[in-house]
Amino acid sequence: MAAPLKVCIIGSGNWGSAIAKIIGKNVQKIPKFARTVNMWVFEELINNRKLTEIINQEHENVKYLPGYKLPENVVAVPDLKAAVRDANLLVFVVPHQFIRKLCDDIADQVPQNALGISLIKGIDEGPEGLKLISDIIREKMKIDVSVLMGANIANEVAADKFCETTIGSKNVQNGFLFKELLQTPSFRITVVEDADTVELCGALKNVVAVGAGFCDGLLCGDNTKAAVIRLGLMEMIAFAKLFCKGTVSVATFLESCGVADVITTCYGGRNRKIAEAFVKTGKTIEQLEQEMLNGQKLQGPQTSAEVHHILKQKSMVDKFPLFTAVYQICYEGKPVGELIACLQSHPEHI
């Protein structure tokens, strides 16, 4: 019988800790997975105690997922290389801006036949334009990488409230292995092959959510917000068709990673919340992130900047008025009210 597969979770924020709760319980029931799960934790002091110590003694991430117990077989490890050493399955769940350095640090620590799954919602700019986070991991680690994206607000997942999610995997067999690791009765997973589209949805919906938050700050009401969601989804589909290498299936946008994630992020989620506060307080995005997110990172504004630079390279800024308005409001001082003008003049077809 093959040795059980060792799982390592790379990251321990709000979402990473919620996923650790699921994985820790599942590996205890499924013999093909090793029972101990390492979770890399960026060490910080909480009331003069190390966060890893608190997690390992009290089995709770008191900073990023307070109020929820983690299984005792999830072990917090502050040393990144030690955490991933000899792991067969790597679950990446860190802010997207850290992924390049992180992969450089651990590429020589894992077996050649290891598999990865990225829960990271963001994109990167390469010299040729768009770069998916899974591509960065794949190139630097030389492993196959699946992605998981969906309407998954972390605290609701941790509370076992029912939700769906989508795994995109170019090698479907690997997708189903991760489904086995991650699925529970209240966390229902669909596996699709259109992995690049799944991943793009996870990044782009945060830009749409910033637009929805601006709407809330302007007290526009639900009809206007619905227009932001619909037009945002149109721009997401158009962007995917332009930039994905393979065939883009519009059906993927009807999975949890598409329309469902757009809806939940535009009504809940940190991007919406910060964008609303941006309108009401007049403070900068950076100030609000520090004041309101307790150390978590905001992805929407930064993704809008990356998207904008890519569209500029391709001379396609005019084709994506909502994405462009969000970027200009966040970074170029454009008045928030201009968002409504952008909706009013939005083309019917992109």
Side-chain angles (χ1 to χ4, degrees):
M1 189 180 157
L5 299 166
K6 283 178 69 175
V7 181
C8 175
I9 301 163
I10 301 169
S12 57
N14 189 230
W15 186 210
S17 299
I19 281 296
K21 187 170 177 268
I22 288 175
I23 291 174
K25 285 183 179 172
N26 278 357
V27 298
Q28 294 179 49
K29 296 180 279 198
I30 306 169
K32 73 165 67 168
F33 302 118
R35 282 180 63 88
T36 300
V37 175
N38 281 357
M39 177 171 74
W40 174 62
V41 174
F42 180 78
E43 191 69 278
E44 47 191 312
L45 290 178
I46 311 290
N47 298 329
N48 293 323
R49 285 179 71 194
K50 289 179 179 175
L51 182 55
T52 49
E53 242 170 55
I54 297 169
I55 292 171
N56 289 333
Q57 288 167 11
E58 293 165 29
H59 309 292
E60 183 183 344
N61 188 335
V62 293
K63 177 158 188 185
Y64 295 109
L65 193 68
Y68 296 98
K69 287 291 176 193
L70 299 176
E72 294 188 11
N73 58 321
V74 173
V75 178
V77 181
D79 182 309
L80 177 59
K81 289 186 178 184
V84 302
R85 197 163 293 135
D86 301 327
N88 309 101
L89 301 176
L90 301 169
V91 180
F92 292 89
V93 54
V94 292
H96 78 278
Q97 48 269 46
F98 303 133
I99 196 66
R100 286 177 185 274
K101 184 182 183 313
L102 191 143
C103 287
D104 287 338
D105 289 346
I106 62 172
D108 59 350
Q109 301 294 316
V110 299
Q112 282 182 322
N113 63 348
L115 299 173
I117 188 165
S118 170
L119 280 63
I120 299 169
K121 295 182 172 176
I123 53 173
D124 202 66
E125 293 169 74
E128 310 84 42
L130 179 73
K131 195 91 169 158
L132 295 172
I133 302 303
S134 64
D135 285 336
I136 295 169
I137 300 169
R138 208 172 277 120
E139 286 167 18
K140 288 184 173 286
M141 303 285 295
K142 307 285 187 282
I143 60 174
D144 185 69
V145 184
S146 303
V147 295
L148 180 145
M149 306 282 151
N152 308 141
I153 289 174
N155 285 51
E156 294 181 17
V157 173
D160 289 326
K161 293 179 176 175
F162 177 80
C163 70
E164 300 174 309
T165 199
T166 312
I167 287 179
S169 198
K170 290 169 187 180
N171 180 327
V172 172
Q173 203 181 344
N174 294 343
F176 280 104
L177 177 64
F178 280 112
K179 177 175 178 172
E180 212 177 336
L181 176 68
L182 290 159
Q183 182 160 270
T184 73
S186 57
F187 191 65
R188 185 167 173 247
I189 297 172
T190 304
V191 179
V192 301
E193 284 182 81
D194 194 5
D196 289 354
T197 306
V198 171
E199 186 169 1
L200 261 184
C201 282
L204 297 175
K205 57 96 196 187
N206 282 330
V207 181
V208 183
V210 173
F214 291 156
C215 261
D216 289 341
L218 293 166
L219 304 175
C220 291
D222 284 338
N223 294 340
T224 310
K225 193 152 146 181
V228 167
I229 291 170
R230 187 186 77 81
L231 295 168
L233 198 55
M234 274 175 62
E235 291 193 14
M236 285 169 62
I237 294 169
F239 192 92
K241 284 181 172 173
L242 273 174
F243 293 100
C244 282
K245 296 175 203 79
T247 312
V248 171
S249 167
V250 175
T252 304
F253 290 89
L254 297 176
E255 297 290 348
S256 181
C257 62
V259 64
D261 200 6
V262 174
I263 292 167
T264 198
T265 314
C266 287
Y267 279 90
R270 63 187 87 151
N271 289 284
R272 187 218 64 78
K273 188 166 98 175
I274 295 281
E276 180 183 25
F278 175 81
V279 181
K280 290 184 170 173
T281 65
K283 293 179 179 176
T284 66
I285 297 282
E286 292 76 18
Q287 273 178 297
L288 293 165
E289 185 181 57
Q290 284 177 348
E291 287 174 21
M292 295 172 67
L293 291 188
N294 188 32
Q296 294 176 66
K297 289 289 172 205
L298 199 64
Q299 301 296 328
Q302 190 167 349
T303 302
S304 81
E306 284 148 356
V307 165
H308 186 73
H309 294 154
I310 290 162
L311 290 173
K312 217 169 168 184
Q313 279 177 358
K314 305 274 185 192
S315 302
M316 300 196 91
V317 169
D318 297 347
K319 299 262 190 238
F320 293 85
L322 181 64
F323 287 175
T324 301
V326 168
Y327 165 76
Q328 290 173 334
I329 293 164
C330 288
Y331 292 102
E332 293 184 350
K334 190 170 186 169
V336 184
E338 291 290 308
L339 183 79
I340 308 308
C342 138
L343 302 179
Q344 289 166 338
S345 59
H346 202 287
E348 286 181 34
H349 303 286
I350 300 178

